[in-house]
Amino acid sequence: MSLVEDYLESYIDKLQLDCEGELGDLQRQSYEAGLPIIPKDVVKLLGFVLGVKKPKAILEIGMAVGFSSSYMSTFLPEDGYIKTIDRYPLMIEKAKANFKKLNVEDKITILEGDANEILPTLDEKFDFVFMDAAKGQYINILPDVLRVTKVGGIIMADDILQEGRVAMDYFDVPKRQRTIHKRLNEFLEEITHNKKLRTSILTIGDGVALIEKLED
Ligand SMILES: C[S@@+](CC[C@H](N)C(=O)[O-])C[C@H]1O[C@@H](n2cnc3c(N)ncnc32)[C@H](O)[C@@H]1O
């Protein structure tokens, strides 16, 4: 389900072109196969932010088949790099093959394992962090994400509005979705009220937060 009316979503979807070349093939094949890669409007937003920010060091949490990290790699300067985390062996295998095919292996390092365990071990700082893993974990991993983000760095968090259910009362949400509802509400409350952050919540895709870290 889209956060905007279907007719508007499909109009905007048609306006926005896929990526070009082999990256576009990966994008289309992933959509067709129902793989969980970012939708077109989030691709465009991501590209816009990276084009303005021009990050050198990027961290991604949630790589899947490696589409978004391959896309992000096209914005890197010569000495830029991406570290991307995933815990699902099948996705890691597919991403490795895709990075090889797209010739971006030297730009992207895969950190294999659970983000909850890997993030505390990172001691470098990133210019841009893309959060696109299990949404219920965002509130838990936020302190480490903030720790590894440079002052002035940008964090983009995807899929934060739960098809609009975040705005519903807790008891109106189906029981099996209540935990994630509560955790996403906590995450949204924190990123919008923490004075050390500047945050914009967008109804693009299933909701995206753009967060600038203003101070340590
Ligand atoms: C939505 S997909 C990522 C899509 C990718 N960013 C793209 O657009 O091409 C989410 C991925 O996060 C991974 N994931 C979810 N929770 C995770 C965690 N706690 N640690 C590591 N990986 C996780 C899943 O295995 C899945 O491959």
Side-chain angles (χ1 to χ4, degrees):
M1 200 191 89
S2 165
L3 291 169
V4 295
E5 297 281 350
D6 288 349
Y7 77 94
L8 184 56
E9 194 202 12
S10 69
Y11 174 72
I12 295 172
D13 195 62
K14 275 190 207 118
L15 279 179
Q16 294 178 320
L17 303 176
D18 287 330
C19 297
E20 291 177 356
E22 290 194 309
L23 187 58
D25 294 340
L26 173 60
Q27 184 181 16
R28 275 184 297 277
Q29 285 156 12
S30 301
Y31 291 150
E32 278 160 26
L35 291 167
I37 69 161
I38 45 174
K40 247 198 265 183
D41 48 0
V42 178
V43 177
K44 296 293 171 189
L45 177 67
L46 182 59
F48 184 88
V49 174
L50 295 176
V52 173
K53 177 68 184 158
K54 301 186 176 33
K56 184 175 150 187
I58 296 178
L59 174 66
E60 176 179 67
I61 306 161
M63 166 184 72
V65 291
F67 167 71
S68 53
S69 37
S70 301
Y71 177 65
M72 290 194 287
S73 75
T74 65
F75 292 85
L76 288 174
E78 197 62 38
D79 57 347
Y81 62 90
I82 295 174
K83 293 197 172 172
T84 179
I85 303 173
D86 211 292
R87 64 180 172 190
Y88 188 13
L90 184 65
M91 292 292 169
I92 293 168
E93 196 186 311
K94 286 181 189 288
K96 281 182 181 165
N98 287 327
F99 293 157
K100 194 165 183 197
K101 194 169 176 203
L102 294 165
N103 200 21
V104 293
E105 285 167 298
D106 57 334
K107 294 264 176 212
I108 304 173
T109 305
I110 303 175
L111 307 177
E112 300 183 24
D114 194 308
N116 291 282
E117 284 157 28
I118 291 176
L119 283 168
T121 69
L122 297 179
D123 57 6
E124 62 189 291
K125 302 252 185 196
F126 297 87
D127 304 293
F128 183 81
V129 181
F130 183 42
M131 297 173 73
D132 194 20
K135 322 308 161 197
Q137 299 297 318
Y138 283 4
I139 186 66
N140 303 338
I141 65 176
L142 184 62
D144 269 313
V145 167
L146 291 174
R147 182 181 58 78
V148 300
T149 304
K150 288 180 193 168
V151 172
I154 305 279
I155 300 157
M156 182 165 155
D158 191 28
D159 291 334
I160 51 160
L161 295 181
Q162 239 193 338
E163 297 175 337
R165 284 189 302 281
V166 280
M168 288 166 66
D169 283 339
Y170 180 78
F171 291 106
D172 291 336
V173 172
K175 262 193 183 150
R176 66 181 188 289
Q177 286 160 354
R178 284 185 188 164
T179 303
I180 189 162
H181 174 271
K182 183 168 169 286
R183 290 184 180 170
L184 268 176
N185 273 284
E186 284 167 13
F187 176 73
L188 289 166
E189 188 73 19
E190 176 60 23
I191 60 174
T192 50
H193 288 73
N194 184 331
K195 296 250 175 343
K196 295 178 177 178
L197 308 175
R198 176 166 32 223
T199 295
S200 175
I201 309 282
L202 305 168
T203 51
I204 285 179
D206 193 18
V208 172
L210 283 175
I211 307 159
E212 182 183 2
K213 177 173 162 178
L214 301 174
E215 55 182 284
D216 270 322

